[in-house]
C-alpha cells in the first residue's frame, strides 16, 4: 500500500467519522492499523496536511483540525457559488441519462427519509453527480477540493427527519429545473438548498 492509497483510506475514515476533528494521527498507530511501514503513512499524512485535513499542534503532533465559525461560513459561501454554477451548467449540458439518474436518486431518497445514514451517503452521491453533470472539469475539481473541508465538520445537516425531507425536495427542485433546461432556476434552487444547509449547520454550532 503506497502513500496515495493511505491518503485515500484516511479520507474515507474521516468521511465515515472513524477519525474525527481533534483526533491525533500517530504514524506508529496508523502503520500498525494498515500493516505497512511508516514511509507510506508519512506520505499519506503529508498529502492530508497539504489539503488542510491535518495540522501540527504543539505537544500533540499531527491532528485532524476543527473548523471555526468563520471557516464554516467561508466554506458554505463558496459552496453556494460553485454548486449554483454547477446546477446552471447542468441545465445546459446534462445528458438525458444523467438527468434520469438524478431523478432516480431523488425518488429513492423519498423512501429513505427515516434512514439517516443511508440518506447521508445518497446525499453525497447526488451532489457528486450534480457536479459531474456540469461537464466542467475545472469546476468539478474546485468542488471536490471544497468537499474535503466539509468532511471536517462534525455531524450532518440531515440529523432531523424534517430537514431530511426538506432537503430531498430541494434536490427535486434542482433536478426539475435541470430537466427543464432552465439554468437560472437550477442555479437559484441549488443556492437555496446550500443556504438552507448552511443555516442548519450554524444552528448546530
Amino acid at each position: 500500500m503506497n502513500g496515495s492509497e493511505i491518503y485515500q483510506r484516511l479520507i474515507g475514515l474521516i468521511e465515515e467519522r472513524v477519525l474525527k476533528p481533534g483526533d491525533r494521527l500517530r504514524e506508529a498507530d496508523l502503520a500498525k492499523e494498515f500493516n505497512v511501514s511508516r514511509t507510506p503513512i508519512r506520505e499519506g499524512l503529508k498529502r492530508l496536511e497539504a489539503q488542510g485535513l491535518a495540522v501540527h499542534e504543539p505537544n500533540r503532533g499531527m491532528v485532524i483540525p476543527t473548523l471555526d465559525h468563520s471557516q464554516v461560513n467561508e466554506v458554505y459561501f463558496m459552496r453556494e457559488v460553485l454548486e449554483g454554477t454547477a446546477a446552471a451548467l447542468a441545465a445546459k449540458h446534462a445528458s438525458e441519462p444523467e438527468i434520469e439518474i438524478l431523478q432516480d436518486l431523488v425518488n429513492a431518497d423519498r423512501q429513505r427519509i427515516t434512514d439517516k445514514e443511508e440518506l447521508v451517503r445518497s446525499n453525497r452521491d447526488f451532489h457528486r453527480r450534480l457536479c459531474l453533470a456540469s461537464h466542467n472539469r475545472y469546476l468539478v475539481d474546485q468542488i471536490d477540493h471544497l468537499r474535503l473541508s466539509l468532511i471536517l465538520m462534525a455531524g450532518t445537516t440531515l440529523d432531523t427527519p424534517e430537514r431530511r425531507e426538506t432537503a430531498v425536495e430541494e434536490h427535486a427542485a434542482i433536478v426539475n429545473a435541470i430537466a427543464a433546461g432552465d439554468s437560472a432556476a437550477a442555479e437559484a434552487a441549488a443556492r437555496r438548498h446550500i443556504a438552507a444547509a448552511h443555516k442548519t449547520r450554524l444552528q448546530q454550532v
Side-chain angles (χ1 to χ4, degrees), residues 83-84 87-89 91 170-193:
E83 294 201 34
L89 290 174
E170 289 167 357
H171 285 178
I174 297 168
V175 177
N176 289 341
I178 290 171
D182 190 334
S183 292
E187 179 172 1
R191 282 177 168 268
R192 283 195 299 271
H193 173 57

Side-chain angles (χ1 to χ4, degrees), residues 159-173:
D159 272 333
T160 67
E162 293 78 15
R163 178 57 199 155
R164 293 198 288 273
E165 186 172 353
T166 301
V168 171
E169 294 312 313
E170 289 167 357
H171 285 178

Side-chain angles (χ1 to χ4, degrees), residues 100-167:
E100 289 172 5
I101 289 171
L102 289 171
Q103 290 170 330
D104 289 345
L105 278 171
V106 168
N107 291 332
D109 285 348
R110 286 177 170 138
Q111 308 305 315
R112 296 186 179 117
I113 299 301
T114 58
D115 189 339
K116 183 178 78 170
E117 297 306 319
E118 186 60 32
L119 192 62
V120 166
R121 283 190 286 271
S122 181
N123 180 65
R124 285 200 295 261
D125 191 29
F126 176 88
H127 284 275
R128 181 179 66 86
R129 291 183 180 277
L130 171 63
C131 294
L132 291 173
S134 71
H135 290 260
N136 186 304
R137 72 191 71 180
Y138 301 104
L139 181 60
V140 171
D141 285 346
Q142 290 298 312
I143 293 172
D144 277 347
H145 182 72
L146 193 64
R147 180 185 65 85
L148 296 177
S149 295
L150 288 172
I151 70 175
L152 293 176
M153 298 181 190
T156 171
T157 59
L158 301 174
D159 272 333
T160 67
E162 293 78 15
R163 178 57 199 155
R164 293 198 288 273
E165 186 172 353
T166 301

